[in-house]
Amino acid sequence: MKYRSTRSNETVTAEEALLKGLADDGGLYVPEFLPKPFLEAKALKDMSYEELAAFVLSHFLTDIPEDTLKELTHSAYTGTFETKDIVPVKPLSQAFSMAEMFHGRTCAFKDLALSLFPYLLVYAKKQDKDGKEILILTATSGDTGKAALEGFRDVPGVHIMVFYPSHGVSPLQKDQMQKQLGDNVKVVGIEGNFDDAQGTLKQVFGSELRKESAEKGVLFSSANSINIGRLLPQVVYYVWIWLKLLENGSIGPDEKFNVVVPTGNFGNILAAWIAKQVGAPIGELICASNENKVLADFFATGTYDINRPFHMTEAPSMDILISSNFERFLYYLTGSTDEVAAAMAKLKKEGKYEVSKEAFHKAGLEMMGGWASPEDMIHAMSGVYETYDYLMDPHTAVAYAVYDHLRREGKIPRHSHTVIISTAHPYKFPGVVAKALGLAEKDSPYDTLREIEGSTGIAIPRQLGELENRPKRFTDTVDRKDMADVIRAYVDEIARH
């Protein structure tokens, strides 16, 4: 299977797509075609997570021998998660379950793809045989950065540089990045938001600096979900969720299930959509937004418009107005690289674009959008804890609030089962969790965690607790206009060594 750009006829192999991250024309790589549905519960039900990952990915990464894929998934998912199930699916009622994606090294759903992606990238690098060092350049709204840093830490021949909004992440997320271990890592805060960081990196990928760096022996790649190697492993867990729902009796053999995804950069929900195309029996697919509801508004109007206030919220991974992966969805809606290129050019110039009536109608058939206010989010966190004794992080709470609202409006089929995608451990956001529980927030986030632990009996994850006494290594903050210079300096440092 080849991969093509969303904006032109540029076509590459899977290995090239993994290594490059972003196409030369600024587009994102998508499979030339989606495989015909290939999922059968009977054949899959006894597979472990790593076996399922190798099976699903073998239909997309057809250049990688199946035995090699099995080795890569085995390495990725052995000993890196706190639970045997990797993604436990917990039914809280007959109506809904929580799919917990926070049992990895950084307590966020990004661990699921970023445990495997480094192995895929190193494999692609070996096939390439050009001897260049790889520099992963990544913008993060909070969770991707830490998961990527952990995934690529001390991987030979690979270096990683992460940019995050200095005032737009939780104290725990900031500590996770500033205290990162590893000799091949670099972390920089920026004055600005995630869109600023991501937009500047996209410019860097299309600039002379990329060519200059390649001449110095350093190849740029990305660990954001703009890289196909981040997106495809996410398809796996939606198939896994289906099998778990069958196993625990939440759905019957011929039943569909709905999925609600708290959405920022659109990669996680796009992976669910792809899983549906290849045979996972997903019914309603619900895109949940916070106050930065550019996606919810698109599904209501057919216009994507970023000319609006940017809100910094307690769910920072959703504080995004330019959702990169939406470009891939737009490609699938329109089937036209010309239309995608025109829409992206219009977005850059005017801050908005609208799709045709046909594409808008199709979008509504594929998924629905909804959003939740900060008050809705807090209400969901406290309500679900009181009713079900289940503690959610703010992103998951946004998803639950949207689900509850749509269910009450009758937009979710009454007797169908819904899965809320639980994307992060609540303890990554101690301030807002304490507020939802009616507890006082302490001066230190770690003191607040101990307060929450005392009240709920939920243990502080080792990955977060051990941060408290670790020294900060990366405290620099730069203006977005200086990002290219900072990258150039790091490239020179890599080239010297």
Side-chain angles (χ1 to χ4, degrees):
M1 182 179 294
K2 298 278 195 227
Y3 288 78
R4 64 170 308 155
S5 169
T6 48
R7 299 189 194 180
S8 72
N9 293 323
E10 181 191 335
T11 308
V12 297
T13 64
E15 282 89 354
E16 288 170 316
L18 289 164
L19 288 168
K20 289 172 75 173
L22 206 61
D24 291 336
D25 55 31
L28 278 63
Y29 289 117
V30 289
E32 267 199 308
F33 58 89
L34 289 174
K36 289 192 174 80
F38 59 84
L39 301 172
E40 285 182 40
K42 279 183 186 170
L44 305 178
K45 66 182 178 65
D46 296 324
M47 285 186 182
S48 64
Y49 192 91
E50 65 178 73
E51 288 167 339
L52 185 68
F55 172 76
V56 171
L57 292 173
S58 70
H59 291 77
F60 291 93
L61 302 172
T62 54
D63 293 354
I64 304 179
E66 208 157 336
D67 285 351
T68 304
L69 257 180
K70 285 177 180 173
E71 287 169 21
L72 299 180
T73 58
H74 176 72
S75 299
Y77 297 113
T78 302
T80 44
F81 287 81
E82 302 287 320
T83 56
K84 180 175 163 286
D85 261 1
I86 310 291
V87 180
V89 178
K90 297 189 174 176
L92 295 196
S93 77
Q94 282 188 315
F96 76 99
S97 297
M98 291 285 179
E100 293 186 346
M101 299 190 176
F102 51 73
H103 294 285
R105 288 178 288 201
T106 75
C107 301
F109 81 96
K110 311 290 172 82
D111 291 325
L112 287 151
L114 280 162
S115 293
L116 177 59
F117 179 43
Y119 290 97
L120 293 173
L121 194 74
V122 169
Y123 171 82
K125 187 173 184 288
K126 280 179 185 163
Q127 306 314 301
D128 196 50
K129 297 187 177 74
D130 71 354
K132 286 187 172 74
E133 298 283 296
I134 292 175
L135 173 56
I136 305 283
L137 294 173
T138 291
T140 184
S141 51
D143 287 333
T144 290
K146 173 60 182 176
L149 289 161
E150 204 54 50
F152 284 100
R153 179 174 116 191
D154 296 327
V155 172
V158 181
H159 310 263
I160 177 165
M161 191 172 202
V162 168
F163 294 90
Y164 69 94
S166 186
H167 306 292
V169 296
S170 81
L172 258 293
Q173 288 175 313
K174 188 179 270 195
D175 262 13
Q176 281 188 305
M177 289 185 281
Q178 291 187 336
K179 296 180 175 184
Q180 176 64 42
L181 303 175
D183 293 332
N184 62 337
V185 302
K186 198 90 156 175
V187 180
V188 183
I190 71 151
E191 295 295 347
N193 58 42
F194 171 77
D195 287 335
D196 296 328
Q198 179 168 254
T200 305
L201 284 189
K202 281 186 172 179
Q203 287 168 11
V204 166
F205 271 88
S207 72
E208 284 299 312
L209 179 53
R210 188 179 190 175
K211 291 176 193 163
E212 274 175 44
S213 301
E215 285 163 12
K216 292 173 183 174
V218 180
L219 186 74
F220 289 174
S221 189
S222 171
N224 286 80
S225 52
I226 58 173
N227 193 309
I228 203 77
R230 255 289 306 281
L231 179 67
L232 293 177
Q234 293 179 273
V235 175
V236 176
Y237 49 68
Y238 289 102
V239 183
W240 179 260
I241 289 166
W242 169 43
L243 299 174
K244 289 288 147 191
L245 291 173
L246 285 170
E247 187 182 298
N248 64 30
S250 295
I251 62 171
D254 301 316
E255 278 185 84
K256 293 181 176 181
F257 63 100
N258 311 308
V259 176
V260 190
V261 187
T263 308
N265 221 12
F266 207 77
N268 201 359
I269 194 162
L270 183 67
W273 181 84
I274 293 171
K276 184 175 180 177
Q277 307 315 301
V278 298
I282 294 171
E284 298 295 343
L285 198 47
I286 297 150
C287 175
S289 302
N290 63 9
E291 280 178 289
N292 295 295
K293 57 189 181 74
V294 66
L295 291 165
D297 287 348
F298 172 84
F299 285 107
T301 66
T303 299
Y304 194 106
D305 187 353
I306 64 169
N307 300 307
R308 62 179 69 212
F310 180 91
H311 299 280
M312 292 176 76
T313 75
E314 298 283 8
S317 295
M318 302 166 80
D319 293 348
I320 295 171
L321 293 179
I322 303 175
S323 300
S324 284
N325 271 286
F326 196 75
E327 180 172 339
R328 285 187 170 113
F329 187 58
L330 189 62
Y331 167 78
Y332 287 120
L333 285 181
T334 63
S336 165
T337 54
D338 290 343
E339 283 186 47
V340 173
M344 293 302 110
K346 203 169 178 198
L347 184 66
K348 192 174 180 181
K349 189 179 175 187
E350 299 173 22
K352 67 176 181 178
Y353 62 86
E354 55 191 275
V355 298
S356 68
K357 282 182 182 171
E358 293 77 18
F360 177 52
H361 177 68
K362 190 175 179 189
L365 296 175
E366 299 295 347
M367 56 181 85
M368 67 173 89
W371 72 284
S373 69
E375 296 74 26
D376 295 334
M377 179 191 74
I378 290 278
H379 181 70
M381 289 169 84
S382 53
V384 167
Y385 184 70
E386 284 168 21
T387 308
Y388 302 103
D389 195 28
Y390 190 88
L391 193 60
M392 299 183 292
D393 92 290
H395 304 81
T396 308
V398 166
Y400 179 83
V402 168
Y403 155 73
D404 192 48
H405 179 69
L406 291 173
R407 185 180 58 83
R408 288 171 193 274
E409 283 190 340
K411 290 183 180 173
I412 293 175
R414 195 173 181 85
H415 297 296
S416 61
H417 194 82
T418 300
V419 177
I420 313 287
I421 301 302
S422 186
T423 53
H425 196 290
Y427 282 15
K428 291 189 82 164
F429 308 92
V432 67
V433 170
K435 183 180 175 184
L437 294 174
L439 303 171
E441 187 176 355
K442 305 294 185 184
D443 291 338
S444 152
Y446 301 97
D447 287 339
T448 306
L449 283 185
R450 284 185 277 271
E451 185 84 359
I452 299 168
E453 182 182 49
S455 172
T456 63
I458 299 168
I460 298 170
R462 171 190 52 77
Q463 305 95 303
L464 299 178
E466 66 186 17
L467 285 172
E468 185 172 12
N469 299 314
R470 198 184 283 171
K472 292 188 179 191
R473 296 179 65 201
F474 303 105
T475 55
D476 289 351
T477 301
V478 302
D479 195 275
R480 63 174 290 190
K481 69 179 189 313
D482 297 321
M483 283 170 62
D485 291 336
V486 173
I487 293 166
R488 185 177 281 109
Y490 192 39
V491 166
D492 290 341
E493 192 183 313
I494 293 166
R496 279 197 303 273
H497 291 96

